[in-house]
Amino acid sequence: MKAHYLKFSVLAFGLMATAGADAQEKPERPKLFPPSSSFNTWSFGINGGILAPTVISGKNDFTNWKADIGYGATIKNQILPALGIQADFLAGKLKADNSRDWGNGMAPVSQYDSFETKVSYAASLSANLTLANIYWMNRENVVRPYMTAGYGLMGYKVTLKDQSGVQTKFNAGENVEEAYLPVGLGLKFSLSNSVNLDLGYTMNFVDGDNLDGYRSGPQNDKFSYSHIGLEFALGPKSKTQLSSYNPVAALQDDYITRNASLQAMLEADRARHAAHMEEMNKEKMRFLSDSDKDGVSDYFDKCPNTPAGIQVDGAGCEIKVTTVVNPVRVVVTEEDKKVVAEAIRNLEFDFAKSTIRSTSYPSLNRVADLLKSKDFSLKLAGHTDNVGSNAANMKLSKDRAESVKSYLVSQGVNPSRVEATGYGESQPIASNKTAKGRQQNRRVEFTLY
């Protein structure tokens, strides 16, 4: 018995040493819910262990079983993270004798003293169910408990020996073939990205009562196989094994990654908005400040430091009063009308606001130059469509007309020569039932005189 355990220990040490050469690999962290093509799904294994002609809490026809070395191999295709189809191959020897009684004074029932069964082959096809993926301190080391159950065929030869030492060949020494049902439990330890250490125990229930060469009753024979082995994944080393994929861990990684990305984006937005608010506050202070107290804010004041008490225009410059001896008749030419018409076409405001867009400034500047050079007067009439309340539309039309006036005044136009009036939705020039008609009704009319 000691010799058998020594052999098994040497086998186990050899298997673990073989795995050590591949233990430095780093598995690629699988993404969230990837396709099966992202994994290695095929594997093969080799194993060795103890064969015994009994199972846990079970009895056969001989009282004293003896352990012997068994060896085997596996081929597996992993269909799902928790389910694989596995082919097992097993061979070895089974031994037992009647050197003790059953207990409670019960003598052995067999007339034979001992038997030895040579298992020539045992081949089965089983379902391999992974019960859990357990990550401990290092997330890349995984323990996977599993369970197997299947169906197989085996062939064996039995040699019996009576108390006088006479040997008898069961079935005339010919190979006996029987079906059997393997049911097992085990643990797999990931030694690396492509190598697993496999520890397992399998109970094999034979469809016959002749595994030991002795038929004692209705109960069929059974045997067990305790093994240690290595499983090698087939495929690129950059891919991880489908059986080791843990959706919960992948979901956690995805959450951590997304959360970190969102936090970084939030911090960037906060910094950007803070800088924008600082610029807006600076602009606000420029609008509110009036250093020379002339009633024109520093933002629009083109003549700063005007002496106190001096009457100024919209640009903050002194108004010089001149006496007109011979009034000149004002004549509006076709070129003047074109300048005004261009300003009307190019006039744009921010949506639902009275803020003039900068694209309108060049054409408004030409209107301002015209008003200053020819001493024209201008009437501004603001209009809206019928979307919204009457009061809101009236206010918006008035504000937009006043906004145009303020801009012209800021360019040096005499404020007394510009009249701004709002009419709201009361004077449409097209139907408000269509988008095109509503767009035509949203306007500021310029009347030059």
Side-chain angles (χ1 to χ4, degrees):
M1 181 68 71
K2 290 182 179 180
H4 292 313
Y5 281 113
L6 181 59
K7 293 178 183 178
F8 180 66
S9 299
V10 172
L11 175 64
F13 178 78
L15 291 173
M16 295 180 69
T18 303
D22 197 35
Q24 299 302 319
E25 296 178 16
K26 292 292 184 180
E28 181 179 291
R29 187 65 56 83
K31 298 179 180 178
L32 186 62
F33 305 130
S36 59
S37 59
S38 301
F39 300 91
N40 290 328
T41 57
W42 284 93
S43 63
F44 76 94
I46 54 174
N47 55 69
I50 300 297
L51 277 172
T54 185
V55 297
I56 298 175
S57 68
K59 295 180 179 179
N60 279 337
D61 301 324
F62 287 78
T63 62
N64 185 34
W65 63 270
K66 298 180 179 180
D68 210 317
I69 294 294
Y71 49 92
T74 62
I75 298 176
K76 186 179 71 170
N77 181 23
Q78 196 73 24
I79 302 173
L80 299 171
L83 177 64
I85 301 299
Q86 178 173 302
D88 291 272
F89 306 92
L90 176 64
K93 289 183 179 181
L94 297 168
K95 296 179 181 179
D97 60 30
N98 282 322
S99 59
R100 61 180 182 179
D101 58 30
W102 289 111
N104 299 324
M106 295 179 58
V109 296
S110 174
Q111 71 269 29
Y112 297 104
D113 182 65
S114 65
F115 81 92
E116 178 180 295
T117 298
K118 180 182 179 182
V119 180
S120 304
Y121 68 88
S124 64
L125 191 64
S126 303
N128 186 301
L129 182 64
T130 301
L131 303 178
N133 274 296
I134 305 171
Y135 287 92
W136 284 334
M137 295 300 291
N138 185 351
R139 290 174 57 84
E140 294 171 353
N141 288 335
V142 64
V143 181
R144 299 194 299 277
Y146 67 88
M147 180 177 69
T148 60
Y151 179 84
L153 296 173
M154 62 184 301
Y156 51 88
K157 296 180 180 180
V158 186
T159 301
L160 297 162
K161 185 184 295 186
D162 60 18
Q163 293 181 355
S164 62
V166 177
Q167 291 186 350
T168 302
K169 300 289 185 179
F170 181 75
N171 196 32
E174 295 295 326
N175 215 37
V176 180
E177 295 184 347
E178 294 285 1
Y180 72 103
L181 301 176
V183 178
L185 291 171
L187 289 173
K188 288 184 180 179
F189 300 83
S190 291
L191 301 180
S192 72
N193 189 27
S194 56
V195 181
N196 302 319
L197 177 64
D198 183 13
L199 303 178
Y201 176 79
T202 305
M203 298 181 294
N204 301 278
F205 300 91
V206 183
D207 188 22
D209 188 24
N210 54 22
L211 182 64
D212 53 12
Y214 179 74
R215 296 185 175 91
S216 63
Q219 183 178 4
N220 291 338
D221 288 331
K222 46 201 170 290
F223 68 98
S224 63
Y225 180 48
S226 303
H227 72 268
I228 180 172
L230 292 177
E231 182 183 41
F232 301 91
L234 301 176
K237 292 185 178 181
S238 59
K239 293 184 179 181
T240 189
Q241 302 174 57
L242 180 57
S243 61
S244 65
Y245 175 60
N246 190 331
V248 176
L251 185 63
Q252 181 187 22
D253 285 347
D254 182 74
Y255 168 77
I256 292 173
T257 302
R258 288 175 180 266
N259 184 63
S261 177
L262 289 174
Q263 288 290 344
M265 292 175 59
L266 182 60
E267 291 300 326
D269 284 342
R270 285 174 178 171
R272 185 169 59 253
H273 290 315
H276 182 63
M277 287 301 297
E278 184 178 355
E279 289 296 325
M280 290 183 65
N281 287 332
K282 289 180 180 179
E283 290 295 314
K284 177 181 177 182
M285 294 308 299
R286 290 181 62 194
F287 276 106
L288 295 178
S289 62
D290 182 10
S291 302
D292 55 8
K293 308 299 182 184
D294 60 359
V296 180
S297 71
D298 291 343
Y299 187 83
F300 295 110
D301 199 339
K302 293 188 176 181
C303 300
N305 303 318
T306 304
I310 298 299
Q311 188 175 4
V312 298
D313 58 18
C317 297
E318 180 183 357
I319 298 176
K320 296 180 180 180
V321 180
T322 58
T323 303
V324 179
V325 178
N326 296 314
V328 179
R329 184 182 172 210
V330 175
V331 178
V332 179
T333 67
E334 289 301 318
E335 289 298 322
D336 299 336
K337 292 178 180 180
K338 289 181 180 180
V339 171
V340 173
E342 182 184 7
I344 295 174
R345 286 194 305 271
N346 294 334
L347 184 60
E348 292 182 346
F349 297 90
D350 287 346
F351 180 74
K353 296 181 180 180
S354 61
T355 305
I356 302 173
R357 293 183 177 176
S358 60
T359 54
S360 304
Y361 291 168
S363 55
L364 289 177
N365 290 341
R366 286 189 285 274
V367 173
D369 293 338
L370 182 63
L371 293 176
K372 290 186 293 182
S373 64
K374 293 195 175 183
D375 213 20
F376 285 147
S377 294
L378 181 67
K379 180 179 180 180
L380 300 170
H383 302 273
T384 67
D385 56 24
N386 66 345
V387 177
S389 65
N390 290 336
N393 287 335
M394 181 62 73
K395 182 178 184 305
L396 180 60
S397 66
K398 175 66 174 175
D399 289 346
R400 285 183 169 179
E402 287 290 344
S403 181
V404 175
K405 177 181 178 179
S406 297
Y407 181 82
L408 294 174
V409 170
S410 72
Q411 300 302 309
V413 176
N414 189 337
S416 64
R417 290 192 174 275
V418 182
E419 177 186 357
T421 307
Y423 295 95
E425 61 185 61
S426 63
Q427 297 181 11
I429 60 173
S431 172
N432 279 313
K433 294 182 179 180
T434 65
K436 182 177 180 181
R438 289 191 296 272
Q439 182 179 5
Q440 294 175 353
N441 290 333
R442 297 190 295 267
R443 69 196 189 278
V444 175
E445 295 177 346
F446 290 54
T447 303
L448 195 64
Y449 62 93

